[in-house]
Every structure is written in C-alpha cells, then in structure tokens.
Amino acid sequence: MNVALDSIDRRILRALQGDASLSLADLAERVALSRSACGRRLQKLEQAGVMRGRVTLLNGPAVGLPLTVFITVRTSQHNAAWATKFSEVVESIPGVLEVYRMAGDVDYLIKAVVADMGDYDRLYQELLKADLLDVSASFVMEEIRYSTALPI
C-alpha cells in the first residue's frame, strides 16, 4: 500500500528514523508544527501502517553478538506445507533477524547474528529441521555501511 506523504509527513518520518525516542514536543519543534497537529499526523501515519513500530537499535558486539552471517538456502520443496514449516523453524531461532524469499538461484536469504562459530553451528543445526537442500553461509568481516532509515 502506497500512502501519499507530504513534506511535513516526510520530515516527521525522517526525524523519527533518526531518533524514535523524541518526545512529541521535540518532534513538533523539529518539524515546525504545534504538538497537537504533530500528534494528529503521527497518529494518521501509524494508523496507515507507514510506521512498523518504534525500536531501540542495539550494538551487536556490545551485547555479545559480534558475528553477522548471511545464509543462503535452497530447497527442493516448493509447497505450502514446507513453506509453513520453514517459517516456523526460522521464527523459532534466536539470532535470525531477517528472512527473505528470493528470485534467482537462491530460494531464501537469511540475516542472523551469532556470538561465535559454535553459536552459528547451533543455528545451522536448527535450520536443518526445515529439510533443506543446500545451506551456505557468508560471514561479515567488516560492516561498511549500516542504516535502517529509508530514503524518504
């Protein structure tokens, strides 16, 4: 669903992407609106589903999860029952951050964080419960750019 956003909506969203902990008063001041007008716009954006939620982003290494891994998965099964099982498996694994169904040579791409190679092996063993054809992992050596902010 594409929601029509005006320049004020975009300013609100950019400000919140930078710091979701802003008080309504601070947000209103940043976007040059009254608190009540800013609050109404914020409520409309939330109700329209423009905002998924407000979160605190943690530093993986600081909380004992220094290793990011991208996992590619191929399967020989392309049916609803298998897809449901796969979704249940990946939803249950701590450390799995994102899962995408892909077009091309790879069926799924998973982003996960782990403490070390032993922790990755635990994650891998859990993934195997989904009856996979091929699993391959690439480990991040250096994070060059990271952002959760959409370019609006």
Side-chain angles (χ1 to χ4, degrees):
M1 169 173 60
N2 194 6
V3 177
L5 302 173
D6 66 17
S7 64
I8 295 171
D9 293 331
R10 291 177 190 281
R11 288 197 319 255
I12 290 170
L13 294 171
R14 279 193 294 270
L16 289 175
Q17 284 188 111
D19 183 359
S21 70
L22 288 172
S23 69
L24 183 57
D26 289 340
L27 180 61
E29 185 177 323
R30 282 195 188 188
V31 300
L33 284 178
S34 69
R35 279 186 63 189
S36 58
C38 186
R40 284 192 300 274
R41 281 182 176 261
L42 191 55
Q43 186 175 28
K44 285 181 185 177
L45 291 168
E46 289 171 333
Q47 289 173 347
V50 172
M51 298 166 52
R52 287 184 173 186
R54 299 184 205 186
V55 301
T56 297
L57 301 174
L58 302 181
N59 179 343
V63 295
L65 296 166
L67 193 55
T68 300
V69 57
F70 288 90
I71 305 161
T72 57
V73 171
R74 291 188 317 132
T75 181
S76 60
Q77 302 181 53
H78 298 277
N79 59 67
W82 181 89
T84 298
K85 171 74 173 167
F86 178 74
S87 292
E88 289 169 356
V89 167
V90 295
E91 284 287 335
S92 73
I93 301 174
V96 170
L97 302 178
E98 301 172 28
V99 180
Y100 301 95
R101 188 166 59 91
M102 307 293 288
D105 295 336
V106 171
D107 293 312
Y108 293 88
L109 176 65
I110 300 169
K111 178 183 178 183
V113 292
V114 294
D116 52 32
M117 288 303 289
D119 197 23
Y120 170 72
D121 186 51
R122 175 206 47 85
L123 186 148
Y124 173 79
Q125 296 300 324
E126 290 294 314
L127 267 180
L128 292 180
K129 293 178 181 177
D131 191 20
L132 307 173
L133 174 67
D134 181 56
V135 178
S136 180
S138 296
F139 295 89
V140 173
M141 293 173 40
E142 176 186 11
E143 183 178 274
I144 296 170
R145 182 172 192 267
Y146 173 82
S147 178
T148 60
L150 298 179
I152 58 164

